[in-house]
Every structure is written in structure tokens, then in C-alpha cells.
Amino acid sequence: MIVDAQVLPRRRMPVKAAGLGVAVLLGLVATAAGAQVPVIGAPVLAVVGGVLLSPLVRPRAVALEPGLGVAKGVLLQLSVVLLGAQLSLGQVLSAGAESLPVMVGTLGVCLLLAWLVGRRLGVSRDLRTLIGVGTGICGASAIAATTPAIRAKSDDVAYAISTIFLFNVAAVLVFPPLGHALGLSQQAFGLFAGTAVNDTSSVVAAAGAYGQEAAQYAVVVKLARTLMIIPVVLFLTALTRRREGRPAEAKPRAALSLVPWFLVAFLAVAAAHTAGLIPAAAQSGLHQVAMVLIAVALAAVGLSTDVAALRRAGGRPLLLGLVLWVAVTVTSLGLQYLTTR
């Protein structure tokens, strides 16, 4: 019995390493492929690749799940923290007050419609939340930050990422011609792309096709928009705890317990960037590490996906994504017109 007790822990580590190793390998492959196809990006390739391979993994799900859990949990949260290395609070302010009404307005409309339309369509609560934050904030990164806050299932995460990807591609193809047809200036299109396109890679692709000035402004707006992750995830964390029967108490420690550690760290890294404590040479490297970690985490999400459950979800979540995409597009253009007249 003593020998068995000593051997058992040694057997658990290879199991955890095996699941993590599969996710890391797939994440690295997706990162390399995403560099060649930036419009699609590594996160999408990682989750889609994981979903395609999931039928092969599911028979070994029990053995691989510990390692996949590490990738979906700690590595995912760490990737969100590192994203703060490119956020400068000064840049956010310099983007101009005119971007704030557009950002807040599009996010508000998106989240409200995600709740109302999602309920009408019969889309599950977690899935409509993920599609809503992914469309309204910053695509895969917002979904990554929201997933641990609401304890979303891998199936919902995979469907939300796939939905966001479809409309990212649509935006890259449709928005530049639409901008020219509407006669948008470089800055106006940058604001439009920064508030209405989801993932950063697609923002750069759409705005870059319009012009260099549009691309620069769009990136700044997109970084400011990323900050919206913080209040939204804090609210969802508190809501999830209350729903689970753990309401926040009116005590400092109880209030602090509602703040996920990775969001506190995210703010700290962004503040360090603002203070000039993160060298410019390191920012690019930290961003690349964050993107790799997101790819690894989303590869684990894809590998954990039950494809049969996705089929049962039907086309309604996709319809919800379409409604939100159109709503955000119209709201962004409409608010920009009203606030710049």
C-alpha cells in the first residue's frame, strides 16, 4: 500500500503533462499558421483545429483533461494579464473624447441585444453572453477573459469563437468598400473599425486596407475598447457568484474577493506600461507570448469540445451573431455621425 501511494503521484504528472503538451503543440502550430494568414489569426485556427481533433481526443478525455484544464485556466488568465503590456492609459486618453461615446454606445447596444435577442432565440445564457462580449469588446480576448468569470463550458466557448471569426472575416471584406462608399475620412474609418470589428488582427487588416492613418487610429481605439473587459468581467463575476448562492457581503474582503486576480494583474501591467516601466522592446515580445498563450488555451478549449453538443445548438447562435454584428456596425456609424456633426 505504501508503494502504491508513492507511485500514484508520479503517474499523475505525465497525465497532466500529456494534456498540456497536446494543447501547447496545437497552439504553436496555430500560431505559425496564423502568422501566414493574419486575417484568420492563431486563436481561431487553434480552436477550430482543436474542434476538428476533438473526436480523436474524447476517448482519452479523462486522461488528458487535467492538462487541458491547466491550459484553459491558468494559461488563459496569464495571457489576459500580458495583453496589458500594450495598453497605455495615455494612448487611451489621446484617442479623443469623441471615441468614448461610440465605444460605450456600441457596447451597450450589443450587450442589451445579446440578452434580449438571445433569449428570444432560445440561446443559452452563457453562449449569448460570450457572443455578446466577443462582438461588443474584442473578440477572442474578451471571450477568454469572460470564460472563467462565468464558468462557461468549452462547447459554448468554441461556438462563440467560431461565430466571432465568421463576422471578423465579413468585416474585413465588407467594411473598406463600405467606408469608401460613405466617404469616411482616415480617422473616421479608424474609429469605425476600432469599434465595430472584433479581434485586433481583423481590426488591423480592415483599417490597413483603408490606409495607414486609419490603421494607426484604429489600433489606439481598439486598445481603449479592450479596457471595457474590466468592468464587464467584474460585473459578470459578481453576477455568477450571486447566481451560485454566494452573494457579496458588505465587507472590504468580500468586495475584493469579487475581483479576479488576472484582472488586477492586467491593470497593474497596463499601469506599468503607462509609467514607462515596460521597455518598448519588451512590449512586442510580451504581446507575442500573450498571443501564443491564448492560442494554447483556445486549442485546449477546442480539444475539450463535444461536437455533438454543437450540432444540437443549431443555427440560432449564428443568427444571434449576425444580429449583433449588424447592430454594432449601424450603431458605430450612427453614433459617429451624431457626435462629429
Side-chain angles (χ1 to χ4, degrees), residues 1 6 50 67 83 97 103 139 144-147 169 178 180 185 188 199 201 211 214 224 249 254 274 284 311:
M1 292 298 293
Q6 292 175 341
L83 287 175
M103 283 189 292
T146 304
T147 295
V169 174
L178 177 62
H180 287 299
S185 66
D199 283 321
S201 60
E249 301 175 10
T274 303
S284 177
R311 294 196 190 99

Side-chain angles (χ1 to χ4, degrees), residues 112-137:
L112 179 61
L113 287 178
W115 181 63
L116 293 175
V117 178
R119 289 186 64 181
R120 293 282 294 179
L121 291 175
V123 178
S124 68
R125 180 181 60 221
D126 287 353
L127 181 53
R128 65 176 180 255
T129 299
L130 293 174
I131 294 175
V133 297
T135 304
I137 305 178

Side-chain angles (χ1 to χ4, degrees), residues 7-285:
V7 171
L8 187 56
R10 296 178 183 175
R11 291 178 177 174
R12 286 176 181 167
M13 275 307 295
V15 170
K16 182 174 289 190
L20 184 59
V22 173
V24 169
L25 179 60
L26 181 55
L28 291 176
V29 171
T31 300
Q36 303 301 316
V37 193
V39 173
I40 299 177
V44 172
L45 292 174
V47 74
V48 171
V51 169
L52 293 177
L53 293 174
S54 62
L56 301 177
V57 172
R58 288 201 68 78
R60 303 173 180 83
V62 174
L64 297 179
E65 184 55 36
L68 296 179
V70 171
K72 293 185 292 183
V74 176
L75 294 189
L76 183 148
Q77 294 168 346
L78 182 58
S79 71
V80 175
V81 173
L82 294 180
L83 287 175
Q86 278 201 322
L87 271 177
S88 167
L89 301 182
Q91 281 182 311
V92 172
L93 294 177
S94 68
E98 67 174 15
S99 65
L100 297 179
V102 180
M103 283 189 292
V104 174
T106 52
L107 176 60
V109 168
C110 184
L111 295 181
L112 179 61
L113 287 178
W115 181 63
L116 293 175
V117 178
R119 289 186 64 181
R120 293 282 294 179
L121 291 175
V123 178
S124 68
R125 180 181 60 221
D126 287 353
L127 181 53
R128 65 176 180 255
T129 299
L130 293 174
I131 294 175
V133 297
T135 304
I137 305 178
C138 54
S141 298
I143 292 172
T146 304
T147 295
I150 65 174
R151 307 180 192 278
K153 297 179 180 177
S154 295
D155 302 333
D156 289 339
V157 175
Y159 206 120
I161 291 287
S162 301
T163 300
I164 295 301
F165 159 66
L166 176 63
F167 296 109
N168 271 336
V169 174
V172 171
L173 297 176
V174 172
F175 281 8
L178 177 62
H180 287 299
L182 295 175
L184 297 180
S185 66
Q186 289 287 308
Q187 182 170 320
F189 187 84
L191 177 57
F192 172 46
T195 54
V197 186
N198 303 323
D199 283 321
T200 302
S201 60
S202 298
V203 170
V204 174
Y210 205 79
Q212 182 177 354
E213 185 181 344
Q216 292 173 342
Y217 194 80
V219 168
V220 174
V221 173
K222 182 65 173 62
L223 290 176
R225 184 179 164 201
T226 303
L227 281 175
M228 299 297 178
I229 292 177
I230 297 167
V232 169
V233 172
L234 286 176
F235 171 76
L236 291 173
T237 300
L239 191 64
T240 300
R241 288 197 169 209
R242 182 173 295 275
R243 189 179 293 123
E244 292 175 347
R246 294 184 292 158
E249 301 175 10
K251 297 179 181 179
R253 291 183 63 184
L256 289 174
S257 70
L258 291 177
V259 182
W261 73 267
F262 63 93
L263 283 184
V264 176
F266 175 86
L267 272 179
V269 171
H273 180 198
T274 303
L277 299 179
I278 302 179
Q283 293 172 21
S284 177

